[in-house]
Amino acid sequence: MKHKSILALSLLAIIACTPEKKQETDYAQYVNPFIGTDFTGNTYPGAQVPFGMVQLSPDNGLPGWDRISGYFYPDSTIAGFSHTHLSGTGAGDLYDISFMPVTRPYKEAPAPLGIYSTFSHNDEAASAGYYRVLLQDYNINVELTATDRCGIQRYTFPKADASVFLNLKKAMNWDFTLDSYIEVLDSVTIRGYRFSQGWSPNQHIYFQTRFSKPFVAYQMDTTSVVTKEKGWIGTAYVARFDFNTEKDEQILVNTGISGVSMEGAAKNLQAEVTENDFDRYHAQAVQKWNKELSKIEVKGNNTDDKVKFYTALYHAMIAPTLYSDVDGSYYGPDNQIHKTNGWDNYSTFSLWDTYRATHPLYTYLQPERTGDMVQSFLNFYEQSGALPLWNLYGHETNMMIGYHAVPVIVDAYLKGIGNFDPEKALQACIETANRDDYRGIGLYKKKGYVPAFSDPKKWENWSLSKTMEYAFDDYCIALMAEKMGKKEIADEFFKRSLNYKNLYNPVTSFMQPRDENGHFNPSFSPDDYTEDICESNGWQYFWYVPQDLDGLIGLVGGKERFTQKLDSMFTYAPTSEELPIFSTGMIGQYAHGNEPSHHVIYLYNKVDQPWKTQKYVAQVLHDLYLNAPDGICGNEDCGQMSAWFVFSAMGFYPVNPANQQYEIGTPLFPEVKMNLANGKTFTISAPAVSSENIYIQSVKVNGKLYDKSYITHDLIMSGATLEFEMGNKPGPVWYK
């Protein structure tokens, strides 16, 4: 492909001019953006830079769960290239500022597909920061790349009467257009906005677009947006821009976006895309990805494993997304425009998922961004009265449960990351945890659990899961207060962190929902998926006590009984053939495709049977992550599924995302190097590891035998070398 040859020549020129410098490894070559675009991954293959505001990607044009990210690998149609997408979530939102090139006459189907083309995967390619496809019905080659706040499209046309559509009416799945606008500034420049409602209750996207060639004509079509409740609320714009093109003529469509204003979008475009030079910005995007991907170097001869690893690392850096303009302006939850003083504001926080492993991973690979993310949380708190739960484009979606900005803040504080005010941060955590009128928190504080009311009028869904998640977040608050010397606050929240015990029924040996009178639900079955448990069943949520595993072991009667229950978790197959869409990647009752199960594999370490952790970790690494479109066994969830793989492939995992400890599993590669921000390198060495040699025989740190089941944050940051002796049979327990 042309773009590859140009990039290769550029790299050769650089090397020729600087012979003393070694050529840097191209880690981006191992990224396969198609992983997760089939089955349940719900990823998209389009172009963006790490944590970029723009996610420029094709949309198949059809609604449905499988197409929630806009793209589904088995489909054969494309109905536009839009600038915003969500990576691997269950929410059908965004798809903003959608362009579609055609030649006239063009194909149009009834809504929602509209104007479209067929395509073939044989004429499609994707890599980090780049996407290409041939629109078969028009013989137009489309290429996409991006900067932080801009999308760059390059269309290669045949000799034809060509047009480019801009469709601001377009809405799929949960998304609904509230209002829009398109204004022509001159023969190459347009601007406008799209306001929509979906997961985000009031999303504003502004844009400015510069074509590389003047259009010869244009037309605007508008439709009134009307609802039963409010009547007319806005206008949906669809514009067509006409060009006369010669064979192989290329037109660039450069678009800056902003959450603030059309002027903000213009500033972003002016700052980031000064020239009509697709290859330049593509090379910059690859360079940015290589900079981030090179922070972890893996060595080994299995190319598929490298592709899985670096694609997982890539997916872990898709979101959260940048949400401030080049001048620092951003739109807040109070519907006001705010401005940073040099830090970057972020949005798209899928915190119920990502606090578990994604954010702990950022503390090593993205400490500066972690500090900015915490500052984003604290400003969100100032502007809305609470820390975010799942915020998107300046607004709270109130999706999922817990108050999981808390562990992210606490982990950063305990690791000394960020310049935020700890007093203000602790206040934000406490006030968020004490909202008596929010999702059962008042009753949780009063009764020690969120009741599952017997009266349907008072019904509180996910009551068991809320109790368990609140208890962990309370533990995190206690850790921070303890570190700050605030004993009274620490004692209060350590006590709250034990509320999980109030749901344990010794008769069934499971956590069970309780009603407002303290009675356990008599019809409870741990196999059932009910509204009392969030996206899981009683088997999967039982283990969610990362803050007090010794206490959980004690509840069931000790290590032997706990081990038996763990064994049952992985061997007791579901009795129903029809499982919910979130129960995927099943090993017995363990559901790797959803987050509540993610730490459970590592709990065998706590009962002195680490070889079982090693066995199941290896099984998941090898069998449930693949170098294929269906290579993610559950929703990617803004990086959590991939962060699990990154940590686990290195050989350890944050079972408790706030206590600075990482349980040892089993490594995937003979050598891994984490290049840390402090200038040191943490090395994991396992020379004999293979698909058969998955069992640890001994562990050494800096050449000396190691006697713990976990490693610590301080050990990692010291730049130590962790050595694993591997074998094909379970080894002895190396820790005390």
Side-chain angles (χ1 to χ4, degrees):
M1 288 182 288
K2 183 178 179 182
H3 78 281
K4 285 189 175 180
S5 61
I6 290 173
L7 179 59
L9 289 171
S10 299
L11 289 172
L12 287 172
I14 292 170
I15 295 164
C17 294
T18 55
E20 73 281 1
K21 185 176 180 180
K22 291 183 179 180
Q23 183 178 1
E24 295 181 358
T25 303
D26 180 16
Y27 296 97
Q29 69 176 305
Y30 296 113
V31 173
N32 177 6
F34 289 113
I35 292 177
T37 58
D38 194 359
F39 187 44
T40 59
N42 280 334
T43 61
Y44 54 82
Q48 76 175 92
V49 296
F51 305 97
M53 184 184 292
V54 164
Q55 309 89 40
L56 182 55
S57 190
D59 297 322
N60 298 131
L62 300 170
W65 168 259
D66 291 324
R67 301 166 182 86
I68 214 87
S69 71
Y71 180 96
F72 185 43
Y73 193 82
D75 282 345
S76 59
T77 60
I78 288 177
F81 302 89
S82 53
H83 283 72
T84 62
H85 294 83
L86 290 171
S87 178
T89 71
D93 215 335
L94 306 184
Y95 325 111
D96 295 286
I97 322 301
S98 177
F99 287 89
M100 181 67 182
V102 299
T103 57
R104 302 190 297 274
Y106 48 83
K107 296 174 69 174
E108 187 170 9
L113 188 60
I115 296 166
Y116 74 99
S117 173
T118 56
F119 79 101
S120 167
H121 295 305
N122 294 328
D123 281 315
E124 184 185 36
S127 55
Y130 178 81
Y131 174 84
R132 181 192 68 80
V133 69
L134 180 69
L135 301 179
Q136 291 179 320
D137 296 321
Y138 311 115
N139 197 29
I140 299 172
N141 191 64
V142 175
E143 296 171 278
L144 311 177
T145 193
T147 65
D148 285 330
R149 301 170 179 87
C150 302
I152 302 99
Q153 304 177 72
R154 179 163 66 185
Y155 304 149
T156 303
F157 288 96
K159 180 177 175 60
D161 295 327
S163 296
V164 176
F165 280 88
L166 171 56
N167 187 349
L168 303 187
K169 180 181 179 180
K170 174 181 174 180
M172 299 187 300
N173 297 308
W174 299 12
D175 192 37
F176 180 77
T177 302
L178 297 173
D179 193 13
S180 65
Y181 176 70
I182 300 174
E183 176 183 356
V184 175
L185 298 181
D186 56 44
S187 62
V188 295
T189 313
I190 61 175
R191 68 177 185 175
Y193 58 77
R194 179 175 183 261
F195 301 163
S196 61
Q197 188 176 70
W199 216 3
S200 179
N202 189 17
Q203 179 196 329
H204 292 185
I205 294 285
Y206 301 87
F207 72 94
Q208 180 150 318
T209 295
R210 184 185 74 244
F211 296 98
S212 62
K213 177 181 180 176
F215 42 83
V216 297
Y218 72 90
Q219 71 178 52
M220 301 279 188
D221 293 325
T222 60
T223 305
S224 294
V225 181
V226 179
T227 67
K228 287 183 179 179
E229 298 80 12
K230 297 180 180 179
W232 181 86
I233 57 171
T235 303
Y237 273 77
V238 178
R240 193 184 89 186
F241 302 92
D242 296 337
F243 302 85
N244 296 322
T245 58
E246 298 298 322
K247 185 177 186 302
D248 296 330
E249 183 174 0
Q250 294 183 330
I251 296 177
L252 270 63
V253 183
N254 309 301
T255 301
I257 67 170
S258 166
V260 174
S261 65
M262 291 186 288
E263 292 75 18
K267 289 179 183 177
N268 292 341
L269 181 62
Q270 184 178 13
E272 295 184 1
V273 184
T274 56
E275 302 177 21
N276 294 316
D277 189 344
F278 183 93
D279 295 310
R280 172 189 174 185
Y281 300 112
H282 171 221
Q284 287 180 0
V286 174
Q287 184 179 32
K288 286 186 176 184
W289 277 114
N290 270 322
K291 177 185 175 183
E292 304 306 332
L293 296 170
S294 68
K295 292 177 180 178
I296 304 182
E297 304 175 52
V298 301
K299 293 184 179 179
N301 296 322
N302 189 315
T303 300
D304 271 359
D305 283 346
K306 287 184 178 179
V307 170
K308 292 193 299 182
F309 184 86
Y310 283 107
T311 304
L313 194 53
Y314 164 87
H315 278 143
M317 294 187 285
I318 292 290
T321 55
L322 182 65
Y323 192 60
S324 54
D325 291 345
V326 290
D327 66 358
S329 299
Y330 68 95
Y331 189 66
D334 55 358
N335 301 315
Q336 301 296 314
I337 305 302
H338 301 273
K339 200 166 188 177
T340 73
N341 57 358
W343 54 277
D344 288 329
N345 186 60
Y346 287 88
S347 187
T348 319
F349 286 102
S350 183
L351 288 167
W352 183 78
D353 309 292
T354 56
Y355 82 93
R356 303 167 195 265
T358 317
H359 283 282
L361 184 63
Y362 296 157
T363 64
Y364 298 103
L365 306 184
Q366 308 291 334
E368 184 176 348
R369 281 191 172 98
T370 294
D372 286 355
M373 290 173 191
V374 171
Q375 192 61 57
S376 301
F377 293 163
L378 298 181
N379 281 37
F380 195 94
Y381 155 74
E382 284 188 340
Q383 296 153 18
S384 70
L387 292 168
L389 174 63
W390 211 127
N391 67 324
L392 180 64
Y393 275 82
H395 285 282
E396 180 58 76
T397 67
N398 283 308
M399 193 63 177
M400 305 311 292
I401 57 174
Y403 24 94
H404 295 317
V406 168
V408 178
I409 293 170
V410 172
D411 191 36
Y413 170 71
L414 294 176
K415 290 174 177 173
I417 294 173
N419 296 319
F420 58 90
D421 179 356
E423 294 286 347
K424 174 182 171 182
L426 182 61
Q427 176 188 350
C429 292
I430 292 172
E431 290 189 12
T432 300
N434 281 333
R435 292 175 291 169
D436 289 350
D437 59 346
Y438 185 80
R439 298 196 168 193
I441 290 177
L443 286 168
Y444 166 81
K445 289 162 59 180
K446 180 180 178 181
K447 293 179 173 291
Y449 64 94
V450 178
F453 281 99
S454 55
D455 182 353
K457 294 180 181 178
K458 299 179 180 179
W459 179 68
E460 182 77 41
N461 72 328
W462 296 342
S463 62
L464 182 146
S465 300
K466 286 174 180 173
T467 300
M468 307 282 282
E469 303 270 355
Y470 292 160
F472 176 74
D473 292 339
D474 290 341
Y475 158 83
C476 295
I477 295 173
L479 284 183
M480 186 171 185
E482 182 179 57
K483 178 75 171 179
M484 295 171 66
K486 299 179 182 294
K487 185 176 186 305
E488 187 175 340
I489 295 173
D491 289 346
E492 175 190 353
F493 281 91
F494 275 131
K495 182 179 178 181
R496 281 172 57 163
S497 75
L498 300 179
N499 280 342
Y500 76 91
K501 293 183 177 181
N502 297 326
L503 296 184
Y504 181 71
N505 185 347
V507 175
T508 62
S509 189
F510 279 97
M511 305 294 174
Q512 291 184 216
R514 298 176 73 171
D515 66 19
E516 67 273 27
N517 298 313
H519 301 135
F520 288 113
N521 182 347
S523 62
F524 169 82
S525 168
D527 296 20
D528 293 343
Y529 294 85
T530 72
E531 286 297 330
D532 294 316
I533 304 177
C534 179
E535 295 188 0
S536 303
N537 64 14
W539 277 103
Q540 292 150 16
Y541 245 99
F542 170 81
W543 316 97
Y544 191 74
V545 191
Q547 74 274 22
D548 187 27
L549 290 171
D550 288 341
L552 182 63
I553 291 170
L555 277 183
V556 301
K559 288 185 177 182
E560 183 178 355
R561 179 69 187 96
F562 191 84
T563 303
Q564 292 169 352
K565 198 172 184 71
L566 260 180
D567 288 341
S568 296
M569 172 74 167
F570 288 95
T571 58
Y572 172 52
T575 55
S576 173
E577 294 183 2
E578 301 243 343
L579 292 172
I581 56 175
F582 45 74
S583 280
T584 54
M586 302 297 290
I587 305 175
Q589 289 289 338
Y590 175 86
H592 191 74
N594 209 11
E595 281 67 27
S597 288
H598 275 188
H599 70 296
V600 181
I601 279 180
Y602 288 87
L603 298 187
Y604 278 110
N605 281 7
K606 297 302 181 183
V607 291
D608 305 324
Q609 295 192 5
W611 59 88
K612 292 180 180 176
T613 284
Q614 295 154 29
K615 169 189 172 184
Y616 289 121
V617 168
Q619 181 178 345
V620 173
L621 288 172
H622 289 289
D623 298 345
L624 297 184
Y625 291 84
L626 305 172
N627 180 15
D630 62 350
I632 302 176
C633 69
N635 266 5
E636 166 58 20
D637 283 321
C638 292
Q640 171 56 27
M641 284 289 289
S642 288
W644 188 97
F645 185 91
V646 171
F647 267 124
S648 296
M650 290 194 293
F652 51 94
Y653 184 79
V655 169
N656 179 334
N659 73 346
Q660 321 297 293
Q661 296 178 2
Y662 300 82
E663 290 293 333
I664 291 172
T666 186
L668 184 61
F669 298 99
E671 183 177 88
V672 177
K673 291 184 177 181
M674 291 180 66
N675 298 312
L676 304 169
N678 64 4
K680 297 181 180 181
T681 299
F682 177 60
T683 303
I684 303 102
S685 175
V689 73
S690 67
S691 57
E692 292 79 29
N693 292 347
I694 62 173
Y695 295 107
I696 294 174
Q697 308 299 305
S698 69
V699 180
K700 293 180 180 178
V701 171
N702 295 332
K704 296 181 180 179
L705 288 174
Y706 189 69
D707 62 355
K708 294 180 175 61
S709 70
Y710 58 86
I711 60 174
T712 65
H713 170 69
D714 288 343
L715 179 67
I716 293 171
M717 296 304 293
S718 72
T721 295
L722 178 66
E723 301 173 66
F724 294 119
E725 180 188 355
M726 307 300 296
N728 60 8
K729 295 180 180 179
V733 178
W734 70 88
Y735 54 88
K736 297 178 180 178

